[in-house]
Amino acid sequence: MSVKSTFEELTAKMNEDPSHIEGLSYVYQFNLSGEDEGKYQLKLENQRAEYKENVEWEPRLTLEMSDKNFIKLAQDDLNPTMAYMSGKLKVHGDLGHALKFHTLIKKYQ
């Protein structure tokens, strides 16, 4: 699975059932390394999820990791706390909200 297909699947699930993103207005940025290296953004606003493969919005939280770890995180196969503590995940912004993001995407498995 690629990063692009992971984002497409995640945003489709969020838009099919926006109950878990209700009231959220947030931009997450993912700075990824590896084969699918690049900057990706996920915007949650007005009960809609949208992603871009570049920087278009001002992020409130930036996560740095490998593309493989991002896919694992999105599939709930990576513990974000352990990844952070071992240096596999770097967080720029509210660390508490980074953990809330993991809880949020778990709802869309």
Side-chain angles (χ1 to χ4, degrees), residues 1-3 5-7 9-10 30 32-33 36 63 65-81 83 86 88-89 101-103 105-106 108-109:
M1 183 173 255
S2 70
V3 169
S5 62
T6 301
F7 271 114
E9 185 178 306
L10 182 61
F30 303 87
L32 304 182
S33 59
D36 287 338
L63 304 172
M65 67 188 87
S66 72
D67 54 355
K68 288 178 176 38
N69 282 335
F70 168 76
I71 292 168
K72 288 179 184 177
L73 179 70
Q75 295 173 341
D76 197 26
D77 288 335
L78 179 73
N79 180 316
T81 304
S86 66
K88 293 179 182 177
L89 168 64
F101 174 73
H102 182 247
T103 302
I105 60 173
K106 283 174 73 170
Y108 291 101
Q109 295 304 308

PDB file of all heavy atoms in Angstrom, residues 1-3 5-7 9-10 30 32-33 36 63 65-81 83 86 88-89 101-103 105-106 108-109:
ATOM      1  N   MET A   1       0.845  -1.184   0.000  1.00  0.00           N
ATOM      2  CA  MET A   1       0.000   0.000   0.000  1.00  0.00           C
ATOM      3  C   MET A   1       0.887   1.243   0.000  1.00  0.00           C
ATOM      4  O   MET A   1       1.877   1.294   0.695  1.00  0.00           O
ATOM      5  CB  MET A   1      -0.909  -0.032   1.232  1.00  0.00           C
ATOM      6  CG  MET A   1      -1.885   1.108   1.295  1.00  0.00           C
ATOM      7  SD  MET A   1      -3.080   0.934   2.638  1.00  0.00           S
ATOM      8  CE  MET A   1      -4.507   0.448   1.697  1.00  0.00           C
ATOM      9  N   SER A   2       0.508   2.225  -0.776  1.00  0.00           N
ATOM     10  CA  SER A   2       1.284   3.465  -0.858  1.00  0.00           C
ATOM     11  C   SER A   2       0.724   4.518   0.100  1.00  0.00           C
ATOM     12  O   SER A   2      -0.388   4.384   0.619  1.00  0.00           O
ATOM     13  CB  SER A   2       1.247   4.008  -2.288  1.00  0.00           C
ATOM     14  OG  SER A   2      -0.044   4.495  -2.585  1.00  0.00           O
ATOM     15  N   VAL A   3       1.496   5.569   0.300  1.00  0.00           N
ATOM     16  CA  VAL A   3       1.040   6.679   1.141  1.00  0.00           C
ATOM     17  C   VAL A   3      -0.209   7.303   0.530  1.00  0.00           C
ATOM     18  O   VAL A   3      -1.196   7.568   1.230  1.00  0.00           O
ATOM     19  CB  VAL A   3       2.166   7.725   1.315  1.00  0.00           C
ATOM     20  CG1 VAL A   3       1.630   8.999   1.940  1.00  0.00           C
ATOM     21  CG2 VAL A   3       3.293   7.146   2.155  1.00  0.00           C
ATOM     22  N   SER A   5      -2.515   5.984  -1.467  1.00  0.00           N
ATOM     23  CA  SER A   5      -3.710   5.141  -1.299  1.00  0.00           C
ATOM     24  C   SER A   5      -4.145   5.092   0.165  1.00  0.00           C
ATOM     25  O   SER A   5      -5.341   5.005   0.455  1.00  0.00           O
ATOM     26  CB  SER A   5      -3.473   3.733  -1.852  1.00  0.00           C
ATOM     27  OG  SER A   5      -2.430   3.082  -1.168  1.00  0.00           O
ATOM     28  N   THR A   6      -3.197   5.190   1.079  1.00  0.00           N
ATOM     29  CA  THR A   6      -3.540   5.233   2.508  1.00  0.00           C
ATOM     30  C   THR A   6      -4.338   6.492   2.822  1.00  0.00           C
ATOM     31  O   THR A   6      -5.367   6.440   3.507  1.00  0.00           O
ATOM     32  CB  THR A   6      -2.268   5.165   3.373  1.00  0.00           C
ATOM     33  OG1 THR A   6      -1.564   3.956   3.075  1.00  0.00           O
ATOM     34  CG2 THR A   6      -2.604   5.198   4.849  1.00  0.00           C
ATOM     35  N   PHE A   7      -3.871   7.641   2.312  1.00  0.00           N
ATOM     36  CA  PHE A   7      -4.607   8.893   2.521  1.00  0.00           C
ATOM     37  C   PHE A   7      -5.975   8.842   1.845  1.00  0.00           C
ATOM     38  O   PHE A   7      -6.971   9.301   2.408  1.00  0.00           O
ATOM     39  CB  PHE A   7      -3.824  10.100   1.991  1.00  0.00           C
ATOM     40  CG  PHE A   7      -2.890  10.707   2.988  1.00  0.00           C
ATOM     41  CD1 PHE A   7      -1.521  10.655   2.800  1.00  0.00           C
ATOM     42  CD2 PHE A   7      -3.375  11.356   4.120  1.00  0.00           C
ATOM     43  CE1 PHE A   7      -0.650  11.226   3.716  1.00  0.00           C
ATOM     44  CE2 PHE A   7      -2.521  11.935   5.037  1.00  0.00           C
ATOM     45  CZ  PHE A   7      -1.147  11.864   4.839  1.00  0.00           C
ATOM     46  N   GLU A   9      -7.865   6.241   1.216  1.00  0.00           N
ATOM     47  CA  GLU A   9      -8.744   5.359   1.984  1.00  0.00           C
ATOM     48  C   GLU A   9      -9.182   6.015   3.285  1.00  0.00           C
ATOM     49  O   GLU A   9     -10.362   5.976   3.647  1.00  0.00           O
ATOM     50  CB  GLU A   9      -7.994   4.048   2.277  1.00  0.00           C
ATOM     51  CG  GLU A   9      -8.840   3.009   2.969  1.00  0.00           C
ATOM     52  CD  GLU A   9      -8.055   1.722   3.188  1.00  0.00           C
ATOM     53  OE1 GLU A   9      -7.508   1.170   2.215  1.00  0.00           O
ATOM     54  OE2 GLU A   9      -8.005   1.273   4.357  1.00  0.00           O
ATOM     55  N   LEU A  10      -8.244   6.648   3.991  1.00  0.00           N
ATOM     56  CA  LEU A  10      -8.557   7.293   5.263  1.00  0.00           C
ATOM     57  C   LEU A  10      -9.551   8.442   5.078  1.00  0.00           C
ATOM     58  O   LEU A  10     -10.542   8.533   5.802  1.00  0.00           O
ATOM     59  CB  LEU A  10      -7.275   7.792   5.929  1.00  0.00           C
ATOM     60  CG  LEU A  10      -7.425   8.462   7.296  1.00  0.00           C
ATOM     61  CD1 LEU A  10      -8.015   7.499   8.319  1.00  0.00           C
ATOM     62  CD2 LEU A  10      -6.073   8.973   7.776  1.00  0.00           C
ATOM     63  N   PHE A  30       2.468  15.888   7.376  1.00  0.00           N
ATOM     64  CA  PHE A  30       3.301  14.698   7.506  1.00  0.00           C
ATOM     65  C   PHE A  30       4.515  14.877   6.604  1.00  0.00           C
ATOM     66  O   PHE A  30       4.369  14.955   5.384  1.00  0.00           O
ATOM     67  CB  PHE A  30       2.506  13.452   7.091  1.00  0.00           C
ATOM     68  CG  PHE A  30       1.255  13.272   7.881  1.00  0.00           C
ATOM     69  CD1 PHE A  30       0.075  13.881   7.487  1.00  0.00           C
ATOM     70  CD2 PHE A  30       1.250  12.520   9.047  1.00  0.00           C
ATOM     71  CE1 PHE A  30      -1.089  13.739   8.220  1.00  0.00           C
ATOM     72  CE2 PHE A  30       0.086  12.370   9.797  1.00  0.00           C
ATOM     73  CZ  PHE A  30      -1.081  12.982   9.377  1.00  0.00           C
ATOM     74  N   LEU A  32       7.381  13.019   5.276  1.00  0.00           N
ATOM     75  CA  LEU A  32       7.730  11.608   5.172  1.00  0.00           C
ATOM     76  C   LEU A  32       9.020  11.395   4.397  1.00  0.00           C
ATOM     77  O   LEU A  32       9.300  12.094   3.424  1.00  0.00           O
ATOM     78  CB  LEU A  32       6.595  10.838   4.492  1.00  0.00           C
ATOM     79  CG  LEU A  32       5.209  10.951   5.139  1.00  0.00           C
ATOM     80  CD1 LEU A  32       4.196  10.105   4.391  1.00  0.00           C
ATOM     81  CD2 LEU A  32       5.253  10.567   6.613  1.00  0.00           C
ATOM     82  N   SER A  33       9.776  10.397   4.833  1.00  0.00           N
ATOM     83  CA  SER A  33      10.986   9.975   4.134  1.00  0.00           C
ATOM     84  C   SER A  33      10.720   8.591   3.546  1.00  0.00           C
ATOM     85  O   SER A  33       9.750   7.939   3.900  1.00  0.00           O
ATOM     86  CB  SER A  33      12.168   9.924   5.104  1.00  0.00           C
ATOM     87  OG  SER A  33      11.902   9.017   6.160  1.00  0.00           O
ATOM     88  N   ASP A  36       8.039   7.084  -0.800  1.00  0.00           N
ATOM     89  CA  ASP A  36       6.981   8.082  -1.015  1.00  0.00           C
ATOM     90  C   ASP A  36       7.314   9.380  -0.287  1.00  0.00           C
ATOM     91  O   ASP A  36       6.435  10.048   0.251  1.00  0.00           O
ATOM     92  CB  ASP A  36       5.630   7.541  -0.532  1.00  0.00           C
ATOM     93  CG  ASP A  36       5.053   6.485  -1.446  1.00  0.00           C
ATOM     94  OD1 ASP A  36       5.432   6.446  -2.629  1.00  0.00           O
ATOM     95  OD2 ASP A  36       4.223   5.682  -0.979  1.00  0.00           O
ATOM     96  N   LEU A  63       4.114  15.965  11.814  1.00  0.00           N
ATOM     97  CA  LEU A  63       4.682  14.683  12.214  1.00  0.00           C
ATOM     98  C   LEU A  63       5.730  14.275  11.182  1.00  0.00           C
ATOM     99  O   LEU A  63       5.462  14.330   9.982  1.00  0.00           O
ATOM    100  CB  LEU A  63       3.585  13.615  12.283  1.00  0.00           C
ATOM    101  CG  LEU A  63       2.391  13.936  13.192  1.00  0.00           C
ATOM    102  CD1 LEU A  63       1.300  12.896  13.031  1.00  0.00           C
ATOM    103  CD2 LEU A  63       2.837  13.993  14.638  1.00  0.00           C
ATOM    104  N   MET A  65       8.226  11.176   9.930  1.00  0.00           N
ATOM    105  CA  MET A  65       8.459   9.739  10.035  1.00  0.00           C
ATOM    106  C   MET A  65       8.722   9.181   8.646  1.00  0.00           C
ATOM    107  O   MET A  65       8.601   9.903   7.654  1.00  0.00           O
ATOM    108  CB  MET A  65       7.262   9.046  10.674  1.00  0.00           C
ATOM    109  CG  MET A  65       5.993   9.090   9.812  1.00  0.00           C
ATOM    110  SD  MET A  65       4.523   8.486  10.642  1.00  0.00           S
ATOM    111  CE  MET A  65       3.994   9.985  11.431  1.00  0.00           C
ATOM    112  N   SER A  66       9.026   7.905   8.580  1.00  0.00           N
ATOM    113  CA  SER A  66       9.200   7.266   7.275  1.00  0.00           C
ATOM    114  C   SER A  66       7.823   6.963   6.681  1.00  0.00           C
ATOM    115  O   SER A  66       6.827   6.880   7.403  1.00  0.00           O
ATOM    116  CB  SER A  66      10.001   5.969   7.415  1.00  0.00           C
ATOM    117  OG  SER A  66       9.222   4.969   8.040  1.00  0.00           O
ATOM    118  N   ASP A  67       7.786   6.788   5.374  1.00  0.00           N
ATOM    119  CA  ASP A  67       6.522   6.444   4.713  1.00  0.00           C
ATOM    120  C   ASP A  67       5.986   5.110   5.230  1.00  0.00           C
ATOM    121  O   ASP A  67       4.787   4.952   5.460  1.00  0.00           O
ATOM    122  CB  ASP A  67       6.678   6.432   3.189  1.00  0.00           C
ATOM    123  CG  ASP A  67       7.802   5.532   2.686  1.00  0.00           C
ATOM    124  OD1 ASP A  67       8.560   4.955   3.495  1.00  0.00           O
ATOM    125  OD2 ASP A  67       7.942   5.420   1.451  1.00  0.00           O
ATOM    126  N   LYS A  68       6.867   4.158   5.472  1.00  0.00           N
ATOM    127  CA  LYS A  68       6.440   2.846   5.979  1.00  0.00           C
ATOM    128  C   LYS A  68       5.816   2.966   7.372  1.00  0.00           C
ATOM    129  O   LYS A  68       4.809   2.331   7.667  1.00  0.00           O
ATOM    130  CB  LYS A  68       7.611   1.876   5.995  1.00  0.00           C
ATOM    131  CG  LYS A  68       8.031   1.429   4.604  1.00  0.00           C
ATOM    132  CD  LYS A  68       9.218   0.499   4.664  1.00  0.00           C
ATOM    133  CE  LYS A  68       9.650  -0.063   3.345  1.00  0.00           C
ATOM    134  NZ  LYS A  68       9.591   0.769   2.190  1.00  0.00           N
ATOM    135  N   ASN A  69       6.412   3.812   8.218  1.00  0.00           N
ATOM    136  CA  ASN A  69       5.847   4.006   9.555  1.00  0.00           C
ATOM    137  C   ASN A  69       4.522   4.758   9.499  1.00  0.00           C
ATOM    138  O   ASN A  69       3.633   4.506  10.305  1.00  0.00           O
ATOM    139  CB  ASN A  69       6.845   4.704  10.477  1.00  0.00           C
ATOM    140  CG  ASN A  69       7.904   3.752  10.984  1.00  0.00           C
ATOM    141  OD1 ASN A  69       7.696   2.537  11.054  1.00  0.00           O
ATOM    142  ND2 ASN A  69       9.065   4.275  11.325  1.00  0.00           N
ATOM    143  N   PHE A  70       4.373   5.677   8.554  1.00  0.00           N
ATOM    144  CA  PHE A  70       3.083   6.361   8.401  1.00  0.00           C
ATOM    145  C   PHE A  70       1.988   5.353   8.060  1.00  0.00           C
ATOM    146  O   PHE A  70       0.903   5.379   8.632  1.00  0.00           O
ATOM    147  CB  PHE A  70       3.142   7.442   7.324  1.00  0.00           C
ATOM    148  CG  PHE A  70       1.777   7.948   6.964  1.00  0.00           C
ATOM    149  CD1 PHE A  70       1.102   8.813   7.816  1.00  0.00           C
ATOM    150  CD2 PHE A  70       1.136   7.525   5.814  1.00  0.00           C
ATOM    151  CE1 PHE A  70      -0.186   9.251   7.513  1.00  0.00           C
ATOM    152  CE2 PHE A  70      -0.146   7.952   5.501  1.00  0.00           C
ATOM    153  CZ  PHE A  70      -0.812   8.818   6.361  1.00  0.00           C
ATOM    154  N   ILE A  71       2.271   4.458   7.121  1.00  0.00           N
ATOM    155  CA  ILE A  71       1.280   3.454   6.724  1.00  0.00           C
ATOM    156  C   ILE A  71       0.952   2.556   7.915  1.00  0.00           C
ATOM    157  O   ILE A  71      -0.222   2.251   8.169  1.00  0.00           O
ATOM    158  CB  ILE A  71       1.777   2.656   5.496  1.00  0.00           C
ATOM    159  CG1 ILE A  71       1.824   3.590   4.272  1.00  0.00           C
ATOM    160  CG2 ILE A  71       0.873   1.455   5.227  1.00  0.00           C
ATOM    161  CD1 ILE A  71       2.558   3.020   3.069  1.00  0.00           C
ATOM    162  N   LYS A  72       1.969   2.162   8.667  1.00  0.00           N
ATOM    163  CA  LYS A  72       1.732   1.346   9.869  1.00  0.00           C
ATOM    164  C   LYS A  72       0.869   2.109  10.876  1.00  0.00           C
ATOM    165  O   LYS A  72      -0.033   1.535  11.490  1.00  0.00           O
ATOM    166  CB  LYS A  72       3.056   0.943  10.524  1.00  0.00           C
ATOM    167  CG  LYS A  72       3.827  -0.096   9.770  1.00  0.00           C
ATOM    168  CD  LYS A  72       5.135  -0.402  10.501  1.00  0.00           C
ATOM    169  CE  LYS A  72       5.996  -1.363   9.724  1.00  0.00           C
ATOM    170  NZ  LYS A  72       7.285  -1.594  10.402  1.00  0.00           N
ATOM    171  N   LEU A  73       1.149   3.395  11.059  1.00  0.00           N
ATOM    172  CA  LEU A  73       0.372   4.220  11.992  1.00  0.00           C
ATOM    173  C   LEU A  73      -1.085   4.282  11.547  1.00  0.00           C
ATOM    174  O   LEU A  73      -2.005   4.109  12.349  1.00  0.00           O
ATOM    175  CB  LEU A  73       0.966   5.625  12.066  1.00  0.00           C
ATOM    176  CG  LEU A  73       0.251   6.614  12.987  1.00  0.00           C
ATOM    177  CD1 LEU A  73       0.458   6.237  14.444  1.00  0.00           C
ATOM    178  CD2 LEU A  73       0.758   8.031  12.748  1.00  0.00           C
ATOM    179  N   ALA A  74      -1.306   4.510  10.257  1.00  0.00           N
ATOM    180  CA  ALA A  74      -2.666   4.619   9.731  1.00  0.00           C
ATOM    181  C   ALA A  74      -3.420   3.297   9.826  1.00  0.00           C
ATOM    182  O   ALA A  74      -4.646   3.283   9.932  1.00  0.00           O
ATOM    183  CB  ALA A  74      -2.634   5.096   8.279  1.00  0.00           C
ATOM    184  N   GLN A  75      -2.693   2.171   9.806  1.00  0.00           N
ATOM    185  CA  GLN A  75      -3.324   0.856   9.903  1.00  0.00           C
ATOM    186  C   GLN A  75      -3.343   0.335  11.328  1.00  0.00           C
ATOM    187  O   GLN A  75      -3.691  -0.814  11.569  1.00  0.00           O
ATOM    188  CB  GLN A  75      -2.586  -0.136   8.994  1.00  0.00           C
ATOM    189  CG  GLN A  75      -2.703   0.206   7.534  1.00  0.00           C
ATOM    190  CD  GLN A  75      -1.832  -0.671   6.652  1.00  0.00           C
ATOM    191  OE1 GLN A  75      -0.892  -1.312   7.096  1.00  0.00           O
ATOM    192  NE2 GLN A  75      -2.160  -0.691   5.373  1.00  0.00           N
ATOM    193  N   ASP A  76      -2.957   1.167  12.278  1.00  0.00           N
ATOM    194  CA  ASP A  76      -2.908   0.831  13.695  1.00  0.00           C
ATOM    195  C   ASP A  76      -1.919  -0.303  13.979  1.00  0.00           C
ATOM    196  O   ASP A  76      -2.149  -1.140  14.850  1.00  0.00           O
ATOM    197  CB  ASP A  76      -4.307   0.500  14.234  1.00  0.00           C
ATOM    198  CG  ASP A  76      -4.362   0.548  15.752  1.00  0.00           C
ATOM    199  OD1 ASP A  76      -3.553   1.276  16.348  1.00  0.00           O
ATOM    200  OD2 ASP A  76      -5.212  -0.160  16.341  1.00  0.00           O
ATOM    201  N   ASP A  77      -0.823  -0.349  13.221  1.00  0.00           N
ATOM    202  CA  ASP A  77       0.231  -1.333  13.440  1.00  0.00           C
ATOM    203  C   ASP A  77       1.478  -0.710  14.048  1.00  0.00           C
ATOM    204  O   ASP A  77       2.534  -1.337  14.082  1.00  0.00           O
ATOM    205  CB  ASP A  77       0.617  -2.017  12.114  1.00  0.00           C
ATOM    206  CG  ASP A  77      -0.456  -2.964  11.624  1.00  0.00           C
ATOM    207  OD1 ASP A  77      -1.241  -3.469  12.453  1.00  0.00           O
ATOM    208  OD2 ASP A  77      -0.502  -3.201  10.408  1.00  0.00           O
ATOM    209  N   LEU A  78       1.383   0.545  14.485  1.00  0.00           N
ATOM    210  CA  LEU A  78       2.525   1.241  15.075  1.00  0.00           C
ATOM    211  C   LEU A  78       2.052   1.981  16.318  1.00  0.00           C
ATOM    212  O   LEU A  78       1.092   2.748  16.262  1.00  0.00           O
ATOM    213  CB  LEU A  78       3.117   2.244  14.071  1.00  0.00           C
ATOM    214  CG  LEU A  78       4.301   3.070  14.569  1.00  0.00           C
ATOM    215  CD1 LEU A  78       5.550   2.206  14.667  1.00  0.00           C
ATOM    216  CD2 LEU A  78       4.571   4.242  13.622  1.00  0.00           C
ATOM    217  N   ASN A  79       2.713   1.733  17.423  1.00  0.00           N
ATOM    218  CA  ASN A  79       2.405   2.433  18.661  1.00  0.00           C
ATOM    219  C   ASN A  79       3.089   3.798  18.599  1.00  0.00           C
ATOM    220  O   ASN A  79       4.317   3.874  18.588  1.00  0.00           O
ATOM    221  CB  ASN A  79       2.935   1.614  19.847  1.00  0.00           C
ATOM    222  CG  ASN A  79       2.651   2.267  21.177  1.00  0.00           C
ATOM    223  OD1 ASN A  79       2.821   3.465  21.350  1.00  0.00           O
ATOM    224  ND2 ASN A  79       2.226   1.465  22.124  1.00  0.00           N
ATOM    225  N   PRO A  80       2.314   4.888  18.534  1.00  0.00           N
ATOM    226  CA  PRO A  80       2.925   6.214  18.364  1.00  0.00           C
ATOM    227  C   PRO A  80       3.798   6.626  19.549  1.00  0.00           C
ATOM    228  O   PRO A  80       4.803   7.316  19.365  1.00  0.00           O
ATOM    229  CB  PRO A  80       1.736   7.148  18.180  1.00  0.00           C
ATOM    230  CG  PRO A  80       0.591   6.437  18.785  1.00  0.00           C
ATOM    231  CD  PRO A  80       0.859   4.974  18.609  1.00  0.00           C
ATOM    232  N   THR A  81       3.462   6.204  20.746  1.00  0.00           N
ATOM    233  CA  THR A  81       4.266   6.556  21.915  1.00  0.00           C
ATOM    234  C   THR A  81       5.639   5.912  21.820  1.00  0.00           C
ATOM    235  O   THR A  81       6.670   6.568  22.024  1.00  0.00           O
ATOM    236  CB  THR A  81       3.565   6.133  23.216  1.00  0.00           C
ATOM    237  OG1 THR A  81       2.265   6.742  23.257  1.00  0.00           O
ATOM    238  CG2 THR A  81       4.356   6.559  24.432  1.00  0.00           C
ATOM    239  N   ALA A  83       7.049   4.800  19.074  1.00  0.00           N
ATOM    240  CA  ALA A  83       7.726   5.365  17.905  1.00  0.00           C
ATOM    241  C   ALA A  83       8.352   6.714  18.255  1.00  0.00           C
ATOM    242  O   ALA A  83       9.487   7.004  17.852  1.00  0.00           O
ATOM    243  CB  ALA A  83       6.743   5.517  16.751  1.00  0.00           C
ATOM    244  N   SER A  86      11.408   6.167  20.558  1.00  0.00           N
ATOM    245  CA  SER A  86      12.551   5.537  19.892  1.00  0.00           C
ATOM    246  C   SER A  86      13.101   6.383  18.739  1.00  0.00           C
ATOM    247  O   SER A  86      14.047   5.972  18.067  1.00  0.00           O
ATOM    248  CB  SER A  86      12.151   4.155  19.370  1.00  0.00           C
ATOM    249  OG  SER A  86      11.189   4.275  18.339  1.00  0.00           O
ATOM    250  N   LYS A  88      11.523   7.214  15.950  1.00  0.00           N
ATOM    251  CA  LYS A  88      10.928   6.907  14.643  1.00  0.00           C
ATOM    252  C   LYS A  88       9.874   7.939  14.246  1.00  0.00           C
ATOM    253  O   LYS A  88       9.483   8.017  13.094  1.00  0.00           O
ATOM    254  CB  LYS A  88      10.278   5.526  14.658  1.00  0.00           C
ATOM    255  CG  LYS A  88      11.269   4.395  14.801  1.00  0.00           C
ATOM    256  CD  LYS A  88      10.551   3.066  14.824  1.00  0.00           C
ATOM    257  CE  LYS A  88      11.523   1.927  15.023  1.00  0.00           C
ATOM    258  NZ  LYS A  88      10.829   0.640  15.113  1.00  0.00           N
ATOM    259  N   LEU A  89       9.401   8.691  15.231  1.00  0.00           N
ATOM    260  CA  LEU A  89       8.374   9.705  15.017  1.00  0.00           C
ATOM    261  C   LEU A  89       8.810  10.979  15.723  1.00  0.00           C
ATOM    262  O   LEU A  89       9.140  10.952  16.914  1.00  0.00           O
ATOM    263  CB  LEU A  89       7.031   9.221  15.582  1.00  0.00           C
ATOM    264  CG  LEU A  89       5.905  10.241  15.703  1.00  0.00           C
ATOM    265  CD1 LEU A  89       5.474  10.752  14.338  1.00  0.00           C
ATOM    266  CD2 LEU A  89       4.715   9.630  16.435  1.00  0.00           C
ATOM    267  N   PHE A 101      -4.731  12.229  17.542  1.00  0.00           N
ATOM    268  CA  PHE A 101      -4.830  11.878  16.127  1.00  0.00           C
ATOM    269  C   PHE A 101      -4.805  10.363  15.956  1.00  0.00           C
ATOM    270  O   PHE A 101      -5.580   9.805  15.187  1.00  0.00           O
ATOM    271  CB  PHE A 101      -3.690  12.523  15.328  1.00  0.00           C
ATOM    272  CG  PHE A 101      -3.666  12.084  13.890  1.00  0.00           C
ATOM    273  CD1 PHE A 101      -4.617  12.541  12.999  1.00  0.00           C
ATOM    274  CD2 PHE A 101      -2.716  11.185  13.442  1.00  0.00           C
ATOM    275  CE1 PHE A 101      -4.615  12.120  11.678  1.00  0.00           C
ATOM    276  CE2 PHE A 101      -2.701  10.758  12.121  1.00  0.00           C
ATOM    277  CZ  PHE A 101      -3.651  11.228  11.242  1.00  0.00           C
ATOM    278  N   HIS A 102      -3.934   9.702  16.687  1.00  0.00           N
ATOM    279  CA  HIS A 102      -3.869   8.240  16.601  1.00  0.00           C
ATOM    280  C   HIS A 102      -5.196   7.620  17.052  1.00  0.00           C
ATOM    281  O   HIS A 102      -5.698   6.704  16.416  1.00  0.00           O
ATOM    282  CB  HIS A 102      -2.709   7.703  17.440  1.00  0.00           C
ATOM    283  CG  HIS A 102      -2.583   6.233  17.353  1.00  0.00           C
ATOM    284  ND1 HIS A 102      -2.808   5.410  18.428  1.00  0.00           N
ATOM    285  CD2 HIS A 102      -2.280   5.412  16.307  1.00  0.00           C
ATOM    286  CE1 HIS A 102      -2.641   4.153  18.047  1.00  0.00           C
ATOM    287  NE2 HIS A 102      -2.324   4.129  16.773  1.00  0.00           N
ATOM    288  N   THR A 103      -5.766   8.140  18.124  1.00  0.00           N
ATOM    289  CA  THR A 103      -7.070   7.651  18.593  1.00  0.00           C
ATOM    290  C   THR A 103      -8.131   7.867  17.514  1.00  0.00           C
ATOM    291  O   THR A 103      -8.974   7.004  17.285  1.00  0.00           O
ATOM    292  CB  THR A 103      -7.469   8.384  19.899  1.00  0.00           C
ATOM    293  OG1 THR A 103      -6.454   8.157  20.876  1.00  0.00           O
ATOM    294  CG2 THR A 103      -8.799   7.881  20.423  1.00  0.00           C
ATOM    295  N   ILE A 105      -7.718   8.114  14.122  1.00  0.00           N
ATOM    296  CA  ILE A 105      -7.613   7.240  12.952  1.00  0.00           C
ATOM    297  C   ILE A 105      -7.920   5.785  13.292  1.00  0.00           C
ATOM    298  O   ILE A 105      -8.338   5.027  12.420  1.00  0.00           O
ATOM    299  CB  ILE A 105      -6.258   7.385  12.210  1.00  0.00           C
ATOM    300  CG1 ILE A 105      -5.095   7.039  13.094  1.00  0.00           C
ATOM    301  CG2 ILE A 105      -6.128   8.750  11.605  1.00  0.00           C
ATOM    302  CD1 ILE A 105      -3.769   7.017  12.354  1.00  0.00           C
ATOM    303  N   LYS A 106      -7.760   5.402  14.556  1.00  0.00           N
ATOM    304  CA  LYS A 106      -8.139   4.048  14.970  1.00  0.00           C
ATOM    305  C   LYS A 106      -9.635   3.814  14.751  1.00  0.00           C
ATOM    306  O   LYS A 106     -10.063   2.703  14.473  1.00  0.00           O
ATOM    307  CB  LYS A 106      -7.781   3.806  16.440  1.00  0.00           C
ATOM    308  CG  LYS A 106      -6.315   3.557  16.673  1.00  0.00           C
ATOM    309  CD  LYS A 106      -5.979   3.471  18.135  1.00  0.00           C
ATOM    310  CE  LYS A 106      -6.469   2.184  18.747  1.00  0.00           C
ATOM    311  NZ  LYS A 106      -5.946   1.972  20.099  1.00  0.00           N
ATOM    312  N   TYR A 108     -11.300   4.688  12.325  1.00  0.00           N
ATOM    313  CA  TYR A 108     -11.574   4.494  10.894  1.00  0.00           C
ATOM    314  C   TYR A 108     -10.853   3.261  10.341  1.00  0.00           C
ATOM    315  O   TYR A 108     -10.592   3.182   9.151  1.00  0.00           O
ATOM    316  CB  TYR A 108     -11.194   5.750  10.108  1.00  0.00           C
ATOM    317  CG  TYR A 108     -12.121   6.893  10.416  1.00  0.00           C
ATOM    318  CD1 TYR A 108     -11.759   7.909  11.289  1.00  0.00           C
ATOM    319  CD2 TYR A 108     -13.406   6.930   9.861  1.00  0.00           C
ATOM    320  CE1 TYR A 108     -12.635   8.953  11.589  1.00  0.00           C
ATOM    321  CE2 TYR A 108     -14.283   7.967  10.153  1.00  0.00           C
ATOM    322  CZ  TYR A 108     -13.881   8.966  11.012  1.00  0.00           C
ATOM    323  OH  TYR A 108     -14.752   9.987  11.307  1.00  0.00           O
ATOM    324  N   GLN A 109     -10.577   2.303  11.197  1.00  0.00           N
ATOM    325  CA  GLN A 109      -9.937   1.055  10.751  1.00  0.00           C
ATOM    326  C   GLN A 109     -10.954   0.137  10.100  1.00  0.00           C
ATOM    327  O   GLN A 109     -12.061   0.046  10.401  1.00  0.00           O
ATOM    328  CB  GLN A 109      -9.271   0.339  11.922  1.00  0.00           C
ATOM    329  CG  GLN A 109      -8.125   1.129  12.500  1.00  0.00           C
ATOM    330  CD  GLN A 109      -7.069   1.494  11.484  1.00  0.00           C
ATOM    331  OE1 GLN A 109      -6.566   0.649  10.759  1.00  0.00           O
ATOM    332  NE2 GLN A 109      -6.749   2.754  11.404  1.00  0.00           N
TER     333      GLN A 109
END
